[in-house]
């Protein structure tokens, strides 16, 4: 319903672009692009990406859309110097084809909180059972030392880490990629260059340009809905799927940095209104900012956020009367 490109003939390619942090609007854009590609029976979806990461909720929505797509998805980290860090690594691992341009990088997928604090337990003190067994150490004799060196993270932190490890491991195994390194990207924030990723079987292709990538994947076989499909990209027509004005506005609001600022303004605005009843402006601005922040964090769908703003406006008009 939000498509702005012209209709294509069957067999063409839809190109999506992720540039910047991943938020709710990014997920809306990618999901809309995948739906459009399915409607026109496209041959391929290419997601060109340069991202430092983003919110976990939108990332998981994108991953689900890629996994359920009836059109093969090739994620291409580009241009030179770009990255697929944090949430971008999961999206790359979820794609049917993972490709990178030279001098790009991926990894550092350890979950962190919105404020930048580490959301996972400290694993440095965890004893290496394999090494102990190889060295012939007595397990009973090491019991007290191992207990003192156990990870200090909370139960929630361990849940977050273990869930992230399971997700990226399953995505890597789905396409026969290096699951061991994928786990290190989460547990150790490991990173790789494009050439290193190719050598370690983390990605399938290193391409200098989009055209080079299309030439390399011509005839490449991928599995879609349990069926093996050979791609035909020779002479394929490229169509850039552009976000409409609605998605562009929501992208600005849903940026993680903007969401954090909106949340702070909202909280302090309501606090000021509570300490100074009748000021009105701080309370109104604070309530609006909190609703927008709730949308950006995917605590509220965009329709509910809009409904909340309407209700707030009606309440303010009644209060004014």
């Amino acid at each position: 319903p939000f498509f702005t490109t012209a209709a294509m003939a069957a067999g063409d390619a839809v190109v999506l672009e992720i540039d910047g942090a991943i938020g709710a609007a990014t997920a809306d854009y990618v999901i809309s692009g995948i739906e459009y590609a399915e409607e026109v029976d496209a041959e391929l979806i290419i997601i060109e990406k340069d991202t430092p990461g983003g919110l976990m909720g939108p990332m998981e929505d994108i991953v689900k859309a890629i996994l359920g797509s009836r059109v093969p998805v090739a994620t291409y980290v580009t241009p030179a110097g770009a990255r697929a860090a944090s949430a971008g690594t999961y999206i790359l691992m979820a794609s049917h084809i993972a490709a990178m341009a030279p001098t790009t990088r991926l990894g550092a997928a350890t979950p962190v909180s919105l404020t930048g604090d580490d959301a996972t337990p400290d694993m440095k003190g965890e004893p290496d059972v394999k090494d102990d067994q190889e060295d012939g150490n007595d397990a009973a004799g090491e019991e007290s030392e191992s207990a003192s060196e156990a990870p200090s993270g909370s139960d929630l932190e361990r849940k977050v880490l273990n869930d992230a490890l399971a997700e990226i491991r399953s995505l890597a195994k789905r396409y026969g990629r290096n699951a061991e390194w994928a786990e290190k990207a989460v547990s150790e924030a490991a990173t790789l260059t494009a050439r290193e990723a190719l050598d370690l079987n983390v990605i399938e292709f290193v391409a200098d340009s989009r055209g080079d990538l299309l030439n390399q994947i011509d005839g490449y076989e991928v599995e879609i809905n349990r069926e093996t499909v050979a791609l035909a990209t020779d002479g394929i027509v490229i169509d850039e799927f552009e976000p409409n004005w609605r998605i562009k506005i929501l992208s600005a609001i849903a940026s993680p940095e903007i969401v954090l600022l909106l949340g702070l303004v909202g909280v302090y605005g309501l606090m000021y209104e509570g300490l100074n009843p009748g000021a009105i402006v701080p309370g109104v601005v604070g309530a609006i900012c909190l609703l927008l922040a709730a949308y950006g964090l995917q605590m509220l769908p965009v329709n509910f956020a809009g409904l909340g703003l309407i209700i707030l406006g009606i309440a303010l008009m009644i209060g004014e009367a």
Side-chain angles (χ1 to χ4, degrees), residues 106-110 181 183-191:
L106 82 159
T110 305
W181 180 86
E183 291 185 20
K184 289 183 178 179
V186 175
S187 62
E188 303 176 13
T191 58

Side-chain angles (χ1 to χ4, degrees), residues 51 76 79 87 129 167 206 223 277:
T51 177
Y76 179 37
V129 177
E167 180 174 8
V206 173
E223 184 177 331

Side-chain angles (χ1 to χ4, degrees), residues 57-81:
M59 177 271 292
E60 291 181 344
D61 290 341
I62 294 173
V63 167
K64 291 175 184 176
I66 293 174
L67 295 178
S69 174
R70 300 194 303 270
V71 179
V73 177
T75 296
Y76 179 37
V77 184
T78 186

Side-chain angles (χ1 to χ4, degrees), residues 217-231:
I217 65 176
D218 187 32
Y220 185 77
E221 294 184 346
V222 296
E223 184 177 331
I224 301 291
N225 296 329
R226 299 183 180 181
E227 294 183 2
T228 301
V229 178
L231 298 176

Side-chain angles (χ1 to χ4, degrees), residues 162-185:
N162 290 335
D163 180 67
L165 286 170
E167 180 174 8
I168 202 165
R169 181 171 60 246
S170 65
L171 293 175
K173 288 183 176 180
R174 179 184 177 95
Y175 301 108
R177 298 182 184 127
N178 191 333
E180 182 179 352
W181 180 86
E183 291 185 20
K184 289 183 178 179

Side-chain angles (χ1 to χ4, degrees), residues 7-257:
M8 302 186 306
D12 293 344
V14 175
V15 177
L16 312 177
E17 182 179 357
I18 298 178
D19 186 10
I22 295 170
T26 310
D28 191 358
Y29 165 64
V30 173
I31 293 171
S32 297
I34 292 175
E35 291 175 350
Y36 173 70
E38 291 176 342
E39 288 183 4
V40 300
D41 195 22
E43 177 75 17
L44 180 68
I45 298 170
I46 302 176
I47 300 178
E48 296 185 343
K49 179 173 60 177
D50 178 12
T51 177
L55 300 176
M56 181 174 292
M59 177 271 292
E60 291 181 344
D61 290 341
I62 294 173
V63 167
K64 291 175 184 176
I66 293 174
L67 295 178
S69 174
R70 300 194 303 270
V71 179
V73 177
T75 296
Y76 179 37
V77 184
T78 186
R83 56 181 169 170
S86 193
T89 302
Y90 293 83
I91 296 173
L92 189 66
M93 291 293 100
S95 302
H96 303 89
I97 298 172
M100 301 175 68
T103 69
T104 57
R105 58 200 187 277
L106 82 159
T110 305
V112 296
S113 67
L114 188 62
T115 57
D117 299 327
D118 191 357
T120 58
D122 182 7
M123 303 299 290
K124 295 180 180 179
E126 187 174 17
D128 192 331
V129 177
K130 182 178 179 181
D131 291 343
D132 288 346
Q133 292 174 347
E134 291 175 352
D135 294 340
N137 291 339
D138 182 26
E142 299 292 335
E143 183 176 356
S144 60
E145 182 180 352
S146 297
S148 64
E149 294 179 348
S152 59
S154 67
D155 291 339
L156 178 59
E157 290 170 342
R158 284 191 290 271
K159 287 180 180 179
V160 171
L161 178 63
N162 290 335
D163 180 67
L165 286 170
E167 180 174 8
I168 202 165
R169 181 171 60 246
S170 65
L171 293 175
K173 288 183 176 180
R174 179 184 177 95
Y175 301 108
R177 298 182 184 127
N178 191 333
E180 182 179 352
W181 180 86
E183 291 185 20
K184 289 183 178 179
V186 175
S187 62
E188 303 176 13
T191 58
L192 290 175
T193 64
R195 183 57 58 181
E196 291 170 342
L198 183 65
D199 293 340
L200 291 177
N201 189 33
V202 176
I203 63 173
E204 286 78 46
F205 299 97
V206 173
D208 294 328
S209 64
R210 183 195 299 165
D212 184 25
L213 174 63
L214 291 173
N215 289 333
Q216 291 189 52
I217 65 176
D218 187 32
Y220 185 77
E221 294 184 346
V222 296
E223 184 177 331
I224 301 291
N225 296 329
R226 299 183 180 181
E227 294 183 2
T228 301
V229 178
L231 298 176
T233 58
D234 185 21
I236 198 168
V237 176
I238 298 297
D239 181 70
E240 305 277 352
F241 183 80
E242 298 290 341
N244 61 11
W245 62 268
R246 171 184 174 274
I247 294 179
K248 289 180 179 179
I249 293 174
L250 294 178
S251 295
I253 296 173
S255 171
E257 299 88 351

